[in-house]
């Protein structure tokens, strides 16, 4: 009889574990390599060290993007507002620019300020192009400059083709799930955050 | 006959030939880009084409579409939008939009901006778009 109960319990634990791992399909350790980056205040920061200890919602953007990246950023902002309503205030939000040539720290700061982004919970980061591209590879995010136009003063502007991505990272610095940034289901993201944080 | 037409007009008012519905644009800082969205309703019996947009808000304005290839998104200029007779066309996030390049000033939520839309048949249509972060 005891053996039967043990078998049932083991099967139950296995099923629960299986269903949880299906909810958060990834478990990629991001702590194996450290990246020297710069934030919107021009302060040097190390990734993933800056996010360890907090659940992090990370978006991949460039500030000259008119359509997709503002949707991604706004979805992150809406997620933050929803979490605040539920009194969850320790989730961090990181926006990584994959356009370091134009997205200097002051540009990132301005991009955030115009959207009423609260730097208490948010960090916008950029860095040297080679470092950024190495970090993008860790997340399987692709970004490449495409169509260019010349302004009258000779300056060149370009668009970028890029992965439309928001990622969820746990407190230990493990990538746990990817979402389509501009079309994310915010309810799903919040459910996953609550599962990870045991809120 | 005149009475009949008057009665019909009262009950079935004639729409504007080309109607622009709910224009809005995204916020962004001076020097950056934004997007303008709206719905074009063509109440005529012929197709019409939006081929140019003007405004003092940005240094350059183009008609664009967003496209996807798997989970990668891109954007390209399309030059014009054709709206078939008796139909409507929605410019919306993640699809067709008016790309505003190199904003001349900060554009914040609650602001508004004026634009002139150029159509082949309808000519110039002036609109005012609200700035919204959605």
């Amino acid at each position: 009889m005891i053996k039967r109960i043990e078998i049932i319990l083991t099967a139950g634990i296995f099923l629960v574990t299986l269903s949880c791992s299906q909810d958060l399909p990834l478990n990629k350790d991001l702590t194996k390599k450290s990246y020297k980056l710069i934030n919107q205040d021009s302060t040097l920061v190390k990734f993933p060290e800056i996010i360890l200890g907090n659940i992090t919602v990370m978006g991949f953007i460039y500030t000259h993007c008119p359509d997709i990246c503002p949707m991604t950023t706004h979805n992150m902002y809406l997620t933050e507002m929803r979490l605040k309503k539920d009194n969850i205030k320790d989730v961090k939000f990181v926006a990584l620019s994959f356009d370091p040539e134009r997205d200097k720290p002051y540009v990132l700061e301005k991009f955030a300020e115009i959207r009423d982004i609260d730097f208490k919970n948010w960090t916008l980061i950029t860095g040297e192009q080679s470092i950024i591209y190495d970090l993008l590879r860790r997340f399987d995010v692709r970004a490449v400059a495409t169509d260019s136009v010349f302004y009258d003063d000779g300056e060149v502007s370009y668009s970028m083709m890029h992965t439309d991505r928001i990622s969820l990272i746990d407190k230990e610095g493990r990538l746990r799930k990817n979402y389509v940034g501009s079309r994310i289901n915010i309810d799903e993201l919040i459910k996953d955050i609550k599962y990870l944080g045991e809120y | 006959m005149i009475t009949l037409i008057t009665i019909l007009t009262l009950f079935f008012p004639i729409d504007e030939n080309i109607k622009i519905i709910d224009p809005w644009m995204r916020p962004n800082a001076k020097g950056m880009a934004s997007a303008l969205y709206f719905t074009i309703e063509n109440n005529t019996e012929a197709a019409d084409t939006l081929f140019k947009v003007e405004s003092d808000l940005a240094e350059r304005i183009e008609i664009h579409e967003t496209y996807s290839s798997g989970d990668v998104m891109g954007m390209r200029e399309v030059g014009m939008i054709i709206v078939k007779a008796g139909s409507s066309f929605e410019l919306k996030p993640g699809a067709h939009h008016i790309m505003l390049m190199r904003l001349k000033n900060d554009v914040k939520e609650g602001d508004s901006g004026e634009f002139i839309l150029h159509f082949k048949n309808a000519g110039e249509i002036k609109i005012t778009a609200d700035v919204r972060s959605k």
Side-chain angles (χ1 to χ4, degrees), chain A residues 63-64 66-68 70-71 74 107 110-111 114-115 142 147 149-151 153 155 159 161-165, chain B residues 26-29 31-35 37 60 62 66-67 71-73 75 93-94 99 101-102 106 133-134:
Chain A
T63 67
H64 283 69
D67 193 35
I68 294 297
M71 288 158 78
H74 193 57
V107 176
K110 189 81 185 164
F111 176 83
I114 217 146
R115 289 169 171 76
R142 286 166 288 164
D147 297 349
V149 293
F150 285 89
Y151 292 108
D153 61 9
E155 196 184 307
S159 299
M161 259 186 96
H162 59 89
T163 307
D164 183 6
R165 174 72 58 80
Chain B
R26 292 191 183 285
N28 216 344
M32 295 183 199
S34 178
Y37 308 98
R60 190 181 176 111
E62 294 177 351
T66 296
Y67 63 93
D71 64 348
V72 175
M73 308 296 287
M75 200 174 51
M99 168 101 168
M101 302 158 83
R102 241 198 205 178
D106 290 355
S133 309
K134 66 177 185 182

Side-chain angles (χ1 to χ4, degrees), chain A residues 8 14 19 39 42 47 52 91 128 151-152 180:
Chain A
I8 291 166
F14 174 75
S19 71
N39 73 6
S42 298
F47 183 91
L52 293 179
V91 173
E128 281 177 31
Y151 292 108
D152 293 341
V180 179

